[in-house]
Amino acid sequence: MTDFIALIPAAGSGSRVGERAPKQYLPLAGRMMIYHALRTLCRVTRITEVCVVLAPEDSEWVQHDWSEFAGKIQTFPCGGATRAESVTNGLKALMAAGQATEEDWILVHDAARPGLSINLTERLLDELAEDEVGGLLAIPLADTLKRATSQARVARTESREGLWQAQTPQMFRAGLLLSALEQAPADITDDASAIEALGLSPKLVLGDAYNFKVTYPQDLALAELILRERMTE
């Protein structure tokens, strides 16, 4: 029987948000941003473990009380300079510790996506548990796309037909994902891209707009509204 293990790369600085503190530790709806993703993943019964990959120099994590998640989360201070490197190092640490086999499913989730829900995570598990490749949450693009010139003028309108916006979690077998990341081009920005580089086609599982990535300062206010509303439900 294979396990479902969540892995959160949390070694980045989040410089585009414009804050001095690492993005995952910014306050959001009365908690740190990373707390919301952890809470959701830890409440999904089929997920046996949540692994947080921290930067080696991270001194913030230990200053907070994580006892709410005792027995389900663990940390590895082996984060790298890029997201792909952090995920690779986290996978190696899990497997070296005997806590993951090559056949176990790994759900890689961004710490900066606090709007992930339990229902959305369960949908991903349901649709991919028997899949040969794995896949990711994503949403079809709804906005009109414009290609820009170097002078910030419209060069042309791009067709959005068949285009989806990738989200996380992205879910693949541990052995396949590790092999893909070790061979991947240096410029990949998500795990699915590494799998695609092997010639495989990850499955797209319908996500939702609430599961967006906090990237810019204005995103914090929107995430706050979503999480506050969810707390009252």
Side-chain angles (χ1 to χ4, degrees):
M1 188 171 117
T2 57
D3 288 333
F4 297 97
I5 301 168
L7 189 154
I8 300 181
S13 62
S15 56
R16 282 180 289 181
V17 175
E19 300 282 349
R20 292 184 178 180
K23 181 165 56 176
Q24 61 268 21
Y25 296 127
L26 293 180
L28 192 59
R31 298 281 190 169
M32 285 177 295
M33 189 184 301
I34 194 173
Y35 168 88
H36 301 285
L38 286 172
R39 184 171 184 267
T40 295
L41 292 168
C42 285
R43 293 171 68 193
V44 176
T45 306
R46 282 183 284 177
I47 293 178
T48 59
E49 187 176 352
V50 180
C51 168
V52 184
V53 181
L54 302 172
E57 67 277 9
D58 188 310
S59 60
E60 183 74 21
W61 177 272
V62 295
Q63 298 182 35
H64 302 277
D65 181 10
W66 303 102
S67 58
E68 175 182 349
F69 309 122
K72 196 150 186 179
I73 67 169
Q74 65 170 317
T75 60
F76 290 108
C78 59
T82 65
R83 181 184 187 280
E85 189 176 339
S86 292
V87 175
T88 300
N89 293 348
L91 283 170
K92 288 180 177 179
L94 274 169
M95 297 173 81
Q99 295 172 266
T101 69
E102 290 192 352
E103 293 303 309
D104 286 333
W105 286 106
I106 304 295
L107 290 82
V108 183
H109 185 61
D110 298 327
R113 291 187 190 271
L116 179 68
S117 67
I118 293 175
N119 287 342
L120 206 52
T121 309
E122 293 282 8
R123 181 190 301 169
L124 186 73
L125 296 177
D126 289 342
E127 293 211 25
L128 297 182
E130 303 300 326
D131 196 84
E132 293 182 357
V133 176
L136 64 152
L137 290 175
I139 54 176
L141 285 181
D143 294 329
T144 299
L145 300 179
K146 301 293 185 181
R147 175 76 62 181
T149 68
S150 58
Q151 290 79 37
R153 292 189 174 275
V154 174
R156 62 181 179 273
T157 299
E158 300 284 1
S159 172
R160 63 180 181 233
E161 183 178 356
L163 294 181
W164 290 55
Q165 181 177 345
Q167 298 184 336
T168 67
Q170 302 194 358
M171 177 174 151
F172 302 100
R173 301 278 187 182
L176 174 63
L177 181 56
L178 180 57
S179 177
L181 288 169
E182 289 180 326
Q183 301 175 60
D187 60 348
I188 65 163
T189 56
D190 72 348
D191 311 290
S193 298
I195 300 295
E196 293 160 38
L198 296 179
L200 300 173
S201 298
K203 183 177 182 179
L204 294 167
V205 178
L206 184 63
D208 66 42
Y210 284 4
N211 187 31
F212 70 93
K213 187 176 182 180
V214 175
T215 305
Y216 301 106
Q218 59 268 33
D219 295 337
L220 288 166
L222 179 57
E224 180 92 16
L225 287 172
I226 291 170
L227 292 168
R228 292 285 184 190
E229 178 182 347
R230 186 172 290 172
M231 288 175 179
T232 63
E233 295 177 348

